[in-house]
Amino acid sequence: MAIRADFHLHSAFSGDCDTPMEDMIKKGIELGLDTMCFTEHHDIDYPDSEEGPGDIFLLQTDPYLYELASLKAKYADQIKLLFGVELGLQPHLMREIAVYAKSFEFDFVIGSSHICHGKDPYYPAFYEGRSDREAYQEYFDSILENVKKFSNFDVYGHLDYAVRYGKTKDAEYSYANHADTIDAILELLIEKGKGIELNTGGLRKGMKDFHPCTDILKRYRELGGEIITIGSDSHGCAGIATDFDRAAEALKACGFKYYTVFEKRSPEFIRL
């Protein structure tokens, strides 16, 4: 396996996962990973839903850090374990999120869009009464708004996350349909020294491509982008490091020679 660092992982400290962190670490070691970075969800002002109250996505950061530190010491001779977070960005929360991000010594911060103008694209209501293309455009517009207003993250996660849950998923989706907005996002990320992630989770959801799609990965590289982390977005043992060999080949085809890992918020480039 060319890529031995999974930089998007959720354990029982995330509101949508019940897998113990230690179980995931043991699986990562078994798979031959060198590094695992846990990036537990922290979504402030997540709306209540039919599945439960939104506060399940408020991370209990102190117990998470305590558990990670304990397991980091226990498995120190077998694997590197890093302290990350996935921040759910919304424009009206930027000050509050910034204070939180500065309150802990994270190794790595993913900025993500799980809520678009008060709605989670995970739910069908986001797509009702309009085409998927229109819904996806609103999602990309919201990402651009977030990137303009917030900078305390290292990479933007699963840039086309909404495509995973549309009525037709990615059957009629393409970078070309949203090129102007996506290019503006990528150019601003590069200007700010931020990266993106290649997220393999969509493949496990029945999509034909990664998050973001290969055309976006290629465009990011064409525009001069170099910072790219690889994450399975696994919420359990089964998904850890899935499709990483395919990811490595895709990155090479897009013109990347390196992938990126972070420690203490500092990037390191690893040859593919």
Side-chain angles (χ1 to χ4, degrees):
M1 187 164 57
I3 297 169
R4 297 183 180 275
D6 193 333
F7 263 67
H8 194 146
L9 294 164
H10 299 284
S11 75
F13 287 98
S14 287
D16 54 357
C17 179
D18 58 9
T19 305
M21 184 182 289
E22 186 166 15
D23 289 356
M24 296 182 70
I25 293 167
K26 289 178 179 177
K27 183 63 176 180
I29 293 169
E30 178 186 325
L31 291 169
L33 291 179
D34 294 332
T35 307
M36 299 175 75
C37 185
F38 286 89
T39 52
E40 308 293 4
H41 286 298
H42 187 56
D43 276 79
I44 302 169
D45 200 21
Y46 186 93
D48 296 341
S49 72
E50 59 211 50
E51 297 184 14
D55 63 8
I56 66 168
F57 288 110
L58 292 178
L59 179 59
Q60 301 301 308
T61 313
D62 287 328
Y64 160 43
L65 177 56
Y66 180 85
E67 176 77 0
L68 181 64
S70 175
L71 293 170
K72 185 174 183 177
K74 182 175 180 178
Y75 292 98
D77 61 343
Q78 298 180 68
I79 194 166
K80 179 181 286 187
L81 301 175
L82 297 173
F83 177 41
V85 67
E86 183 178 9
L87 294 179
L89 304 185
Q90 297 186 65
H92 68 288
L93 297 173
M94 293 311 180
R95 184 182 299 275
E96 190 173 354
I97 295 171
V99 169
Y100 172 81
K102 293 177 180 179
S103 298
F104 297 92
E105 294 184 357
F106 291 109
D107 287 303
F108 179 58
V109 176
I110 299 174
S112 289
S113 293
H114 296 122
I115 302 299
C116 177
H117 302 140
K119 293 183 178 180
D120 187 342
Y122 176 85
Y123 293 104
F126 184 75
Y127 308 91
E128 289 175 358
R130 57 179 172 169
S131 68
D132 281 351
R133 181 170 177 171
E134 290 171 323
Y136 299 161
Q137 183 60 47
E138 182 186 356
Y139 183 75
F140 288 123
D141 287 342
S142 75
I143 290 178
L144 181 57
E145 187 178 9
N146 286 336
V147 177
K148 286 179 177 179
K149 292 188 174 184
F150 191 71
S151 298
N152 196 354
F153 61 91
D154 301 309
V155 305
Y156 216 99
H158 45 53
L159 271 174
D160 52 12
Y161 161 86
V163 177
R164 189 187 298 185
Y165 302 108
K167 295 185 291 290
T168 60
K169 294 194 175 183
D170 57 354
E172 301 172 6
Y173 159 69
S174 70
Y175 153 74
N177 289 343
H178 310 279
D180 289 347
T181 308
I182 293 171
D183 280 1
I185 292 167
L186 298 177
E187 288 167 354
L188 187 53
L189 287 171
I190 292 167
E191 179 184 324
K192 289 188 169 190
K194 309 302 178 183
I196 62 174
E197 73 161 355
L198 187 161
N199 183 309
T200 64
L203 297 174
R204 299 194 303 278
K205 299 290 185 178
M207 293 176 59
K208 61 178 180 283
D209 209 343
F210 309 107
H211 289 307
C213 66
T214 304
D215 284 346
I216 294 178
L217 297 173
K218 184 177 181 180
R219 183 60 175 154
Y220 173 68
R221 186 68 198 96
E222 288 173 349
L223 291 169
E226 296 182 322
I227 300 172
I228 188 158
T229 58
I230 317 301
S232 66
D233 205 352
S234 180
H235 289 65
C237 294
I240 297 170
T242 52
D243 297 297
F244 273 25
D245 286 339
R246 178 174 169 180
E249 292 307 311
L251 287 179
K252 291 176 185 176
C254 290
F256 290 91
K257 296 181 180 179
Y258 303 89
Y259 69 98
T260 316
V261 297
F262 280 81
E263 188 169 358
K264 296 180 180 179
R265 306 293 302 277
S266 179
E268 177 184 356
F269 295 90
I270 311 296
R271 182 171 288 278
L272 288 162

